[in-house]
Amino acid sequence: MVLSVAKGAFLMATMMACLHKSFLVSGECTDCGLCYNHGGNYKCLTEYSPTCDKWHASFDCPPGVPCETTNDPEKARPCSLEGTCSRCDMGIISADNCCTPTKDGSTYSPTPVPVESDTWSEGQSKMLPAHQWVVIDHNDGPEDSSFGIAVAVSDEHVYIGGKTTSTMTMKNPMLENQRIAVQGVPLSEDGDMFLTKVTLAGEPVGIHMFTGSEAEQPNGLAVSKDGKYLSMVGYFRGTLTLGKETYNNGALTLSDGSDCGSNCPKDGFLVKLDAVEANVMWSKHFMHDGDKSTEILTTDITENGEIVYGGHIANTGRLGVLDNKDGATVWESIFGESVGPFTDVKTMTNGQVVAVGSLQGSEDFGGDVGVLSSAYTGSREALVLVFDPKTGTPKWAALMGSPYQYARSSKGVLCATAGDDIYVACSGPCNNVQVSNNASAGGMKMASNHKGAVAKFSASGEPQWISEVPTQPQGLAAMEGSHVYVSYYEDKPIDYGDATFLNWKGEDTKDQFIIKFDSDSGKGQWVMQQGGTGKEYVRRMAMDKYGDIYTTGKTGSNPGYFDNIQMTSHDNSNKNDMFVAKMTTSDEILPSCMCDKDTVKAGHCFIQNTCFKDGADIPPGEGEKCVAENVECKVATVATESSSSISAVGAVAAIPLFMAANML
């Protein structure tokens, strides 16, 4: 960056002024222009640097721009928030005229503070869904591992794609005299890719393995509207056999001749599969380019049967459509370097397709969008792109970003469609929405201390609402007539309005959470937790035609709590057992341990929307137990908000709900 003499003199004067009022921090460095990066290095700068992860800034700001002391909201907060920046509070940094250094004439974070969000009032709820079943891979041994990654659902079956390093035994321990799906040992030391099928009633049907010489993984899965075939996408290294075709990646070394080992470039694949026997109908190979990986991350199938895909080559976004009959390319677009990988695609009832990815900088998308630029200098913002699947012509686009986004964010953007409405979930915190066909400055904003958001758009691109998500979303599901559901995993307590949800504690624990948003208002409705003292990783989520949701991932807990279901029959010594779980979100009822909306049955506690028996471990574990009390419940019959009801015969001992909630 070249500075003018006047600008350089001004910055030097600012530096000198700070020297008189600042304490020394690192060597001869002061807070004036102090930069910190994730390598743990501090340095003093008089101009903008793209390698700076955190600024302790004392540079003059334009009028109306709030003081910012950092580029990373996890490490600090705006000086304008009292009590969040010790150097501001001590008067070491003046909060009157300071901000990050300028880049191209604009400050790094020129966004006014938006109004406070009111997404959540209470994460607890009186009426809730429940898990109907959980199917887990009951493999044995401390070295075995399986992981569910992609999921799709038809009118009769749920399909799960994943990877495994061991024999698989898919079992639903709640079903008697059920089928158990078994698959043999993978051929590769790195494991093989699998596709398993389960009925909507939770009975395993079968497992099909796709073999390769090294690592391979499915990233996305879609089922045709008639349920007859599937599209599965992903990546592989080494070789991959799909039906009669064996594809060879061929990358053994990097272009400079050095051994790349497990970091050899990836190749992408797309395969069309018969939904009955998982027979390969045709497949397509997407090759790497030199040292640059190619990966296909997402897929969907249009009403006409054409297969849409999205992904990247060298982290540059690519989209395309393949003919259903033979896999011939209808069209493909590979964008410029400013466009990041496309991580999700979904079809709409109006025939259009929405794809989500990211944008840092500017890109000419053509069509009705034209040139689109990220709103915040240096930020990688979530990108929403709606296009015609026949031609690839963009119809409109939107960006979801924030001044705190930066290049490392917005990598896991998800979308769902409900009729012609579009829902987008992202991380970052991506709390500002700007649409390409909306000329109003600033877009929609939401204050957020969280790391993610979910937003609703109309078919024409008009933002409807934006709400908080506590962390990076892993799954998103909605359909016409349903509400909106987001899944993620977390390892620390989170506040949802007045309710704090604690995590189970263990050696390396993470819990899965599913949250519901009202589709009309965006308000948070409830939080459901699945976990235990092990690690729960959740990946994608799907919804059936009834409005029930299916999640997949891996669990390391025994017992594993899926609200009303406890999983105890599996061997969790490897801490990596693939699962698929069905939650009946179409039918919210009174929890099984409740007599009515205000009282808990005798011998139970109701904590964090989960029923626990007296003496059972409760979150966070570590000796915390359910301590139930016996108080007479005078309610004889309890009506639910669904078509069913719960009847209690005679007097039932219970305790007031607020007492159970305070047992922690």
Side-chain angles (χ1 to χ4, degrees), residues 558-589:
N558 188 334
Y561 295 93
F562 289 78
D563 54 80
N564 56 307
I565 298 176
Q566 290 189 35
M567 302 299 293
T568 59
S569 65
H570 61 292
D571 179 355
N572 73 319
S573 59
N574 62 348
K575 303 185 185 302
N576 290 287
D577 292 318
M578 172 266 174
F579 76 86
V580 57
K582 178 181 181 179
M583 179 182 281
T584 53
T585 42
S586 62
D587 189 25
E588 295 183 5
I589 62 175

Side-chain angles (χ1 to χ4, degrees), residues 593-596 598-604 628-635 651-657 659-660 663:
C593 62
M594 302 293 295
C595 287
D596 58 32
D598 298 310
T599 50
V600 183
K601 291 180 181 178
H604 293 83
E629 296 184 14
N630 293 328
V631 178
E632 292 235 344
C633 174
K634 299 179 180 179
V635 180
V652 179
I655 58 175
L657 176 59
M659 291 180 62
M663 284 183 179

Side-chain angles (χ1 to χ4, degrees), residues 134-427:
V134 181
V135 173
I136 286 185
D137 175 17
H138 285 63
N139 58 23
D140 297 324
E143 302 302 322
D144 295 340
S145 176
S146 59
F147 193 2
I149 299 170
V151 60
V153 61
S154 69
D155 289 351
E156 298 180 354
H157 296 97
V158 55
Y159 302 87
I160 308 95
K163 56 184 180 181
T164 180
T165 61
S166 61
T167 299
M168 294 184 67
T169 304
M170 295 292 289
K171 182 180 179 181
N172 181 347
M174 298 180 63
L175 295 181
E176 295 182 3
N177 302 318
Q178 62 160 314
R179 280 184 295 187
I180 298 175
V182 179
Q183 182 56 263
V185 179
L187 298 181
S188 169
E189 292 182 0
D190 296 319
D192 283 335
M193 184 168 63
F194 70 82
L195 176 69
T196 184
K197 180 165 67 172
V198 180
T199 70
L200 297 192
E203 185 173 28
V205 176
I207 308 171
H208 187 88
M209 205 80 77
F210 301 89
T211 61
S213 63
E214 296 183 32
E216 61 273 340
Q217 173 179 304
N219 292 320
L221 193 62
V223 60
S224 61
K225 303 302 183 284
D226 59 11
K228 293 183 178 180
Y229 62 91
L230 304 165
S231 172
M232 185 168 67
V233 298
Y235 75 86
F236 70 97
R237 294 186 174 98
T239 63
L240 174 64
T241 299
L242 297 172
K244 297 179 180 180
E245 296 284 348
T246 296
Y247 298 112
N248 193 340
N249 177 298
L252 301 176
T253 62
L254 297 177
S255 56
D256 61 4
S258 60
D259 183 10
C260 52
S262 61
N263 292 317
C264 289
K266 303 172 183 176
D267 280 5
F269 72 86
L270 186 154
V271 57
K272 178 183 176 182
L273 301 164
D274 167 45
V276 178
E277 298 292 341
N279 294 319
V280 174
M281 303 173 77
W282 52 257
S283 60
K284 190 172 182 68
H285 180 199
F286 299 84
M287 298 184 66
H288 63 280
D289 180 12
D291 294 342
K292 301 175 181 178
S293 287
T294 290
E295 191 169 1
I296 308 301
L297 299 170
T298 179
T299 184
D300 201 8
I301 302 174
T302 68
E303 290 284 349
N304 295 329
E306 294 174 321
I307 296 178
V308 187
Y309 64 89
H312 73 92
I313 178 168
N315 288 319
T316 296
R318 69 191 301 171
L319 287 171
V321 171
L322 302 180
D323 186 85
N324 172 41
K325 295 180 181 179
D326 56 8
T329 299
V330 177
W331 61 264
E332 183 181 64
S333 295
I334 298 178
F335 298 90
E337 293 182 356
S338 61
V339 181
F342 285 96
T343 51
D344 207 359
V345 293
K346 291 291 187 297
T347 59
M348 303 164 62
T349 55
N350 63 8
Q352 295 178 348
V353 176
V354 56
V356 293
S358 61
L359 178 71
Q360 182 179 17
S362 298
E363 176 73 12
D364 187 352
F365 291 94
D368 296 334
V369 174
V371 177
L372 189 64
S373 300
S374 52
Y376 303 103
T377 305
S379 291
R380 177 163 293 282
E381 301 170 29
L383 169 68
V384 185
L385 186 66
V386 174
F387 59 90
D388 183 341
K390 295 180 180 179
T391 62
T393 304
K395 310 303 291 183
W396 60 266
L399 293 172
M400 297 174 64
S402 81
Y404 310 110
Q405 202 89 349
Y406 306 108
R408 61 185 179 277
S409 296
S410 288
K411 293 183 178 179
V413 193
L414 303 173
C415 63
T417 55
D420 291 335
D421 289 330
I422 298 169
Y423 299 97
V424 179
C426 54
S427 59

Side-chain angles (χ1 to χ4, degrees), residues 23 93 104 161 185 210 265 294 348 444 449 505 607 617 633:
F23 295 146
I93 296 180
D104 299 329
V185 179
F210 301 89
T294 290
M348 303 164 62
M444 295 177 62
N449 292 324
K505 291 185 178 180
I607 298 171
D617 292 335
C633 174

